[in-house]
């Protein structure tokens, strides 16, 4: 099933994006936001999504495909999209489940067509895998959950979406929730950021591929609900969960910076040679 957010009059939008959802909606996110679709449209879209799935903006439309259930856009429809966003997931990007392999093939097709592809957490990792990079379990310290400060590269590639932001910070805090990571970025990719725990926090391939290990779209309440769920299933210890909660009381991510970066990537026109 495809879910659509468009302008209220149903007029054709100038831009069109697809969310490839690699996770199933949690009970909390369904109750609080109506599902992850609304979370992503609110974070990366022009307008704020509501429970009816309408962004209220004429400038763009968003569709959702439940990639985790094997639903992907048809090949003949790909050209109608200006960009694609691949979400996080509880699954391993290096696993060989059929839906993950199909998603990797789709990423290869999108990159070959120079479509804009943004990957978040699992999405970041699956793009890396699809393009020939290496992904696996975190090599240091297992789970990374909470607020992590990442360091931006001193020298950045000549990408228009980066230039559109003007002054980038040297450091930026982001919400993290992962136990897998990119071990080695794909050939031709530029590593844009790293942290003490993760060597590739963000990478790009020109103006049309961007991977981010953290979760720009997460709000504090979404992370807290996830921490409680991981603790209740004994995926993390209670003491670990309490440590994350104490950290969230003391600090937060530079969320507006990350949202601005993602929107700039999705919406800034590529300079073609």
């Amino acid at each position: 099933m495809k879910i659509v957010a468009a302008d209220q009059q149903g007029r054709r939008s100038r831009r069109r994006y697809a969310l490839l959802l690699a996770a199933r909606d949690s009970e909390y996110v369904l109750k609080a936001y109506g599902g992850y679709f609304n979370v992503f449209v609110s974070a990366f879209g022009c307008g704020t999504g509501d429970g009816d799935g309408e962004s209220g903006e004429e400038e763009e439309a968003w569709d959702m495909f439940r990639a985790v259930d094997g639903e992907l856009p048809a090949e003949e429809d790909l050209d109608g999209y200006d960009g694609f966003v691949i979400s996080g997931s509880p699954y391993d990007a290096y696993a060989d489940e059929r839906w993950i392999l199909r998603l990797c093939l789709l990423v290869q097709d999108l990159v070959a067509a120079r479509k804009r592809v943004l990957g978040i957490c699992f999405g970041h990792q699956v793009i890396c895998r699809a393009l020939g990079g290496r992904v696996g379990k975190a090599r240091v310290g297992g789970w990374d959950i909470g607020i992590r400060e990442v360091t931006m590269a001193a020298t950045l590639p000549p990408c228009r979406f980066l230039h559109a932001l003007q002054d980038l910070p040297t450091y930026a805090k982001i919400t993290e929730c992962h136990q897998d990571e990119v071990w080695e970025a794909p050939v031709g990719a530029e590593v844009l950021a790293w942290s003490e725990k993760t060597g590739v926090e963000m990478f790009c391939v020109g103006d049309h591929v961007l991977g981010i290990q953290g979760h720009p779209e997460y709000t504090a309440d979404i992370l807290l609900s996830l921490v409680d769920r991981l603790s209740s299933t004994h995926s993390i210890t209670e003491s670990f969960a309490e440590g994350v909660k104490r950290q969230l009381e003391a600090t937060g991510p530079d969320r507006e910076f990350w949202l601005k970066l993602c929107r700039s990537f999705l919406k800034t026109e590529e300079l073609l040679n």
Side-chain angles (χ1 to χ4, degrees):
M1 180 180 67
K2 180 172 72 175
I3 298 177
V4 180
D7 59 277
Q8 294 182 7
Q9 285 72 34
R11 292 170 290 194
R12 178 171 175 79
S13 299
R14 289 168 53 192
R15 291 178 182 270
R16 190 179 177 201
Y17 300 96
L19 171 63
L20 308 179
L21 191 63
R24 295 179 179 90
D25 293 316
S26 70
E27 183 178 343
Y28 175 80
V29 168
L30 274 173
K31 182 178 179 180
Y33 296 94
Y36 280 118
F37 177 68
N38 287 338
V39 173
F40 275 94
V41 173
S42 178
F44 299 156
C46 284
T48 301
D50 58 29
D52 296 325
E54 293 186 343
S55 68
E57 287 286 338
E58 295 180 26
E59 293 294 318
E60 63 184 45
W62 285 76
D63 300 339
M64 182 180 73
F65 298 87
R66 296 189 182 276
V68 68
D69 293 325
E71 182 182 83
L72 294 174
E75 183 178 357
E76 60 269 21
D77 294 334
L78 299 181
D79 195 51
Y81 290 98
D82 296 283
F84 298 79
V85 178
I86 307 174
S87 77
S89 176
Y91 294 90
D92 298 325
Y94 47 84
D96 289 331
E97 296 187 38
R98 186 170 182 271
W99 73 269
I100 296 175
L101 297 177
R102 290 183 63 222
L103 184 57
C104 286
L105 292 175
L106 176 61
V107 168
Q108 292 170 359
D109 290 343
L110 296 176
V111 173
R114 298 190 69 83
K115 288 293 182 181
R116 218 159 295 195
V117 186
L118 170 62
I120 303 299
C121 197
F122 167 90
H124 160 84
Q125 297 161 14
V126 88
I127 291 171
C128 175
R129 175 189 180 179
L131 300 185
R134 298 177 65 215
V135 178
K137 288 293 182 191
R139 289 171 166 169
V140 179
W143 280 100
D144 190 8
I145 305 176
I147 308 302
R148 175 71 59 178
E149 184 175 77
V150 305
T151 302
M152 300 293 175
T155 302
L156 296 170
C159 298
R160 291 199 71 189
F161 77 91
L162 293 173
H163 291 170
L165 293 174
Q166 298 179 342
D167 295 329
L168 267 71
T170 304
Y171 306 97
K173 293 182 290 184
I174 191 168
T175 302
E176 302 270 11
C177 188
H178 65 100
Q179 59 178 336
D180 297 337
E181 66 183 14
V182 168
W183 287 353
E184 182 180 325
V187 173
E190 297 269 1
V191 177
L192 302 179
W194 58 88
S195 68
E196 290 183 355
K197 189 175 187 307
T198 304
V200 184
E201 289 279 2
M202 178 166 61
F203 74 88
C204 74
V205 180
D207 270 303
H208 60 290
V209 175
L210 180 64
I212 299 174
Q213 179 57 71
H215 285 274
E217 81 284 7
Y218 272 12
T219 53
D221 60 304
I222 291 176
L223 181 61
L224 286 171
S225 72
L226 183 52
V227 167
D228 286 340
R229 189 148 45 97
L230 290 171
S231 177
S232 68
T233 58
H234 306 292
S235 298
I236 59 174
T237 65
E238 289 186 17
S239 61
F240 187 102
E242 289 304 315
V244 174
K245 293 176 182 180
R246 287 194 299 271
Q247 186 198 36
L248 289 174
E249 290 176 356
T251 190
D254 297 309
R255 190 166 184 262
E256 286 307 311
F257 162 73
W258 291 103
L259 295 186
K260 186 176 180 182
L261 173 67
C262 293
R263 291 173 187 145
S264 179
F265 170 75
L266 289 170
K267 303 171 199 304
T268 300
E269 294 298 331
E270 181 178 1
L271 186 61
L272 298 175
N273 294 323

